[in-house]
Amino acid sequence: CCSVTAPTETSTLSLPDALPIPAPRRLVAYYFHGQKRCNTCRTIQALSQEAVESGFPEALMAGRLEFRDVNTDEPGNDHFVTDYDLTGSSLVLVDHRDGQAVRHKTLSKTWDLFADRPAFLAYVQSEVRPWLEAP
């Protein structure tokens, strides 16, 4: 249920990225998933959003951090599968500078920690923090 499908055609439209990113630098925590999702996928999404929102409210309010839920099966979102080498539902940090994605990291331990809420939140926040503090 948690795999994503490789795109079959090149897409020029990027729905989430079509939104303007006004800040010169913004970190986006993307939760990528397909249309069909199991309870584990939904739990990981909810915990990921909770980790970002509870750990970094000031960065969210200032526009330096954003959480986005992206269904890779929706039209225009298929490019994310190849852009970030997605093989299934994933939480990916993407550093945007001047509107361009310049680096990313997949937080692969989310699948190992989803049943341990405190450990999951601590893991995600420990991964996000250095990216926000980087020059």
Side-chain angles (χ1 to χ4, degrees):
C1 85
C2 303
S3 64
V4 292
T5 309
T8 55
E9 60 186 58
T10 304
S11 172
T12 57
L13 176 63
S14 167
L15 295 179
D17 284 333
L19 300 172
I21 298 179
R25 179 161 183 260
R26 176 178 289 193
L27 177 62
V28 180
Y30 288 99
Y31 183 71
F32 294 111
H33 61 84
Q35 187 66 32
K36 295 180 181 178
R37 297 193 288 164
C38 64
N39 286 335
T40 301
C41 294
R42 293 177 191 279
T43 298
I44 291 172
Q45 177 184 349
L47 289 172
S48 297
Q49 186 168 359
E50 179 184 351
V52 169
E53 290 177 354
S54 68
F56 309 98
E58 298 86 10
L60 287 163
M61 290 185 65
R64 295 185 305 114
L65 176 63
E66 182 176 344
F67 180 85
R68 290 189 190 176
D69 165 26
V70 178
N71 181 340
T72 57
D73 290 337
E74 290 183 359
N77 290 343
D78 56 347
H79 70 94
F80 288 113
V81 175
T82 54
D83 291 352
Y84 301 118
D85 299 317
L86 302 174
T87 57
S89 297
S90 303
L91 179 60
V92 180
L93 302 179
V94 181
D95 189 3
H96 291 271
R97 294 179 190 244
D98 297 318
Q100 299 295 316
V102 295
R103 66 181 177 137
H104 72 277
K105 181 178 184 179
T106 301
L107 303 188
S108 58
K109 291 183 184 177
T110 57
W111 283 91
D112 298 328
L113 299 173
F114 79 91
D116 183 347
R117 182 176 171 273
F120 187 102
L121 298 178
Y123 166 65
V124 170
Q125 291 170 356
S126 72
E127 292 289 337
V128 169
R129 189 169 290 106
W131 284 55
L132 285 175
E133 294 170 353

